[in-house]
Each structure stands twice: as structure tokens, then as C-alpha cells.
Amino acid sequence: LPARCLAAGSRAANQGGASDNRVNTMGKTLGILVCEALRKDVAAILKEEPSVPVEIIALPCDCDPAGHPPGRFDPEPLRRLLKHHAQNAQRAEDTASSTERIQELEEALQKSRSLLAQSSQMAHIGAWEVDVETKSLMWTDEVYRIHELSLDHKPTLEEGIRFYAPSSRPIIERAVRKTMEQGESFDLELEITTAQGHPRWVRAMGEARRASGVMKAVFGIVQDITEHKHVEDALRLSESVSLKLARAVEQSPATVVITDLEGRIEYVNPKFTETTGYTLNEALGQNPRILKSGETASEEYKHLWETIVSGHEWRGEFHNKRKDGTLYWEFASISPIRDIDGQITHFLAVKENITQAKEAAEKLKETMRELEQFNRLMMGREERVLELKGEVNELLQTAGLPPKYRITS
């Protein structure tokens, strides 16, 4: 360290056990060995560089600070040393920061890869690539799982295509060939058969990869959509059944009425209009009591409501009144409609007009009463006829003649 008393400084450093350099870098803190005579001068220079952490190690020496002429201490070497140390410390800090950043990026990349793998497995999506020149095929792990193959298996392009069902194989072959030759992308839903013999539906997508205008590879994804297809089929069947059911209700010879939980009408079929005279728009929002004739006891309506609210079916007859005021009879079955959780959401009434049947029954009863009266009358006459025939036979026998009538008891 240049100073006014270099010899004294050198002796002081040597006395402190330091090397001839008299300066040592200890991590991020700079340690300086200096004799007591130069301590104040060095401390003044250090104040000019407060960003550099410095530890001054003062060593006793036999020089006399007051005996040295002024102007002999040159601060520039110390300033250069401090600047050099600051640069080294900054480089060390930048290196450490870069290392930490690299570690953070590597950890983030690993997490991203792990998340991608988990997402692929959850969504049943795998990736594949075919080298146009070598025709070599590469699969990600999920593609192996979809095809039920071990990860150490190395499938060829031909083998990969053979997994497709016979009806789907020509389609995928043509699609891959067009992509290789013309760069045409594809997005298909096809059937495959796994290595374990299980049928599955997959969505296969592919597109070309070029480098400098030259076709290099065909890459894409394959997704297991078997469950999705099953849901589609179930929905299609459900829609078909729902359509048939809707048509059946619309064309039903019975009156169909659907109400909410408060009894407000939400739907009536055409037979309702034919029977009652009320149109759909007139009935919507109304209560079925618009058909009430007053001939059904209020206790019966109360029993009906308690039955269906408790989740049971009610059956019975109504003597209702049409829009034009005429009366008619109908037999009704009213039951609750439940959602998938078993909660009652609506009430369904299916009713049959039994007016003619009721009238026929009444007429039949009247006819039966008349017939019984006639039978009783005829039975009396038949008995008298039998008595007269018996008397005739007796008179003939008295006259010595054979009986004329054959009487069976």
C-alpha cells in the first residue's frame, strides 16, 4: 500500500502476519492491513467509496506520523483497489444472481413439464411426430397409455396406423399422406383398437412442420374421446327418446297438464284444448281450478294436494266445467315430477274424458232396472201358463185322451 512511510507500512504488514501485498479480499468484505500512522489517511479515502465494505486492520509500528513531511501519501492506488474490488464484488453478485435465476428457471421448467404431463394425462391428450425422411414415429407417454402399450415399445408408422379400426384405417392413412405430400392439416374422430384389444374413439390431429420451406415432419395430437362419444351417444338417444315422448304427449288421446309447485299451469297438450275449450295461452299461468264445477267436495281437493305434495300419486274422478259452461267427467292420475336429486319440481296430470263412459254406465243401470222389472213380470206370466197347461193335460186325461203339453219342472 503506497504511503508516506512505505517501509513502516511494510514492516507493519509483516508484523501482522500478512503477505507483501498487504491487502486481502475476504468474501465481499475487503480487509486492509495498515500501520497506525496511515490509518486516518486510509479511513478518509474509504469514505469516498461507502458502497465497498472494508475492514481496516491497524497494526502497531515504530514510525512517527508527525515526523513525515506532508504530500507523500498517494491515494490513487487505494482508489483503484477499491474500484477493482467493487467491480469484482458486483461480478460475484451478478454471477450468484444468475445462478439463482438459472436454478429458478430450471425449477419452473420442471414444474411446467410436470404440469403438462399431468394435464395431458387428465385430458387424455398425447403428442406424436413422424419424421418425413425416415418415417420414424415418436409418441409421448400419454399416447402409449391410450394405446395400452409399455413405454419401452418403439412403434413404427405402419404399426401406429394398424391400431386404427378397419373402417378408420384408410381415412388416417390418406390424411397422413396428404399432410406429408401437400402440407394439408387434418382433424378427425376415428376408432382404434388398443394393444389389449379394447375399442376406443380418438381425436387425431396433425399438421406439417417445415424448415426453410422443406417438409421435415408431421406432428399432432391424439386424444381419447371414448367417454365423450359415449356421452354423445347417450345424449343422442336421450334426445331421440325425448322427441318421441314429446310427440307422444302432443298426440296423446289423454289430456296432459304440467304445473309448478304452486299449481300454476306450465304446459297443456292439444287434447286439453279439445276437451276444455281453453287454448295453451289461456291456460298458462292459471290454476286447474278454472275447470272446477263446484260438484267436487273441498275435502277431496285437500286430500289430493296432500297426497301429491308428499310425493305420492293421486287417482280419482272430476266432474269439471268447460270454457263454454258445459260439464264433463274425467278420470285423473296426478303425480309429482322429480329431478336427478329426487326433489319434486313439478306435478303431472294425465286425464281421460270419461263422460261417454259415465253416461253409458248410467244408461246401462237404467236398462238393467227395466230388464229386472220385465223379468219379474214375465216370470209371473210363465208360471200361470204352466198352470193352465197342466189343467189342460188333466182334462184330456179325464177324457181318456193323451196329454197335449209336455211340462218339465
Side-chain angles (χ1 to χ4, degrees), residues 3 16 18 20 22 55 76 80 116 154 165 172-173 188 236 245 263 298 300 308 339 362 373 397:
D20 289 341
R22 292 174 299 281
E55 181 182 359
E76 291 306 317
R80 288 195 297 271
L116 179 61
K154 302 300 179 184
I172 191 65
E173 285 179 331
L188 304 167
R236 193 177 297 111
L245 180 60
S298 58
E300 185 65 24
I308 61 177
D339 60 16
E362 287 298 325
Q373 293 176 359
Q397 286 179 357

Side-chain angles (χ1 to χ4, degrees), residues 230-247:
H230 290 165
V231 171
E232 276 189 349
D233 292 342
L235 285 176
R236 193 177 297 111
L237 178 60
S238 177
E239 289 174 358
S240 176
V241 172
S242 297
L243 180 60
K244 292 176 181 177
L245 180 60
R247 288 176 177 171

Side-chain angles (χ1 to χ4, degrees), residues 273-293:
T273 300
E274 179 184 333
T275 302
T276 68
Y278 290 98
T279 65
L280 173 62
N281 289 335
E282 290 173 331
L284 290 179
Q286 297 290 338
N287 191 286
R289 68 171 63 98
I290 61 174
L291 305 174
K292 191 174 179 181
S293 66

Side-chain angles (χ1 to χ4, degrees), residues 71-201:
R72 296 288 303 276
F73 177 68
D74 183 5
E76 291 306 317
L78 180 57
R79 289 192 177 103
R80 288 195 297 271
L81 175 64
L82 294 174
K83 183 177 181 180
H84 178 70
H85 178 71
Q87 292 174 345
N88 285 345
Q90 185 61 46
R91 280 194 293 270
E93 186 174 349
D94 292 344
T95 300
S97 178
S98 298
T99 302
E100 291 177 359
R101 180 59 179 161
I102 291 173
Q103 290 177 346
E104 290 176 357
L105 291 174
E106 288 179 346
E107 291 176 359
L109 179 61
Q110 183 60 34
K111 288 181 180 178
S112 178
R113 287 174 175 170
S114 176
L115 182 61
L116 179 61
Q118 293 175 359
S119 301
S120 297
Q121 187 169 357
M122 291 177 63
H124 305 294
I125 297 177
W128 56 270
E129 183 178 82
V130 177
D131 186 285
V132 172
E133 183 177 353
T134 64
K135 301 298 187 295
S136 60
L137 176 63
M138 185 193 73
W139 283 353
T140 61
D141 292 355
E142 186 59 25
V143 181
Y144 281 94
R145 280 190 283 268
I146 291 174
H147 289 79
E148 296 187 313
L149 280 171
S150 61
L151 297 180
D152 58 356
H153 186 80
K154 302 300 179 184
T156 63
L157 177 59
E158 292 75 15
E159 183 182 9
I161 290 178
R162 281 200 301 271
F163 278 109
Y164 286 85
S167 58
S168 299
R169 200 171 301 152
I171 301 174
I172 191 65
E173 285 179 331
R174 183 166 55 252
V176 172
R177 185 171 60 252
K178 279 189 175 182
T179 305
M180 286 184 173
E181 296 173 355
Q182 305 172 21
E184 183 178 323
S185 301
F186 63 86
D187 185 350
L188 304 167
E189 293 185 359
L190 303 169
E191 289 184 276
I192 67 168
T193 303
T194 70
Q196 304 300 321
H198 299 129
R200 285 181 178 172
W201 276 91

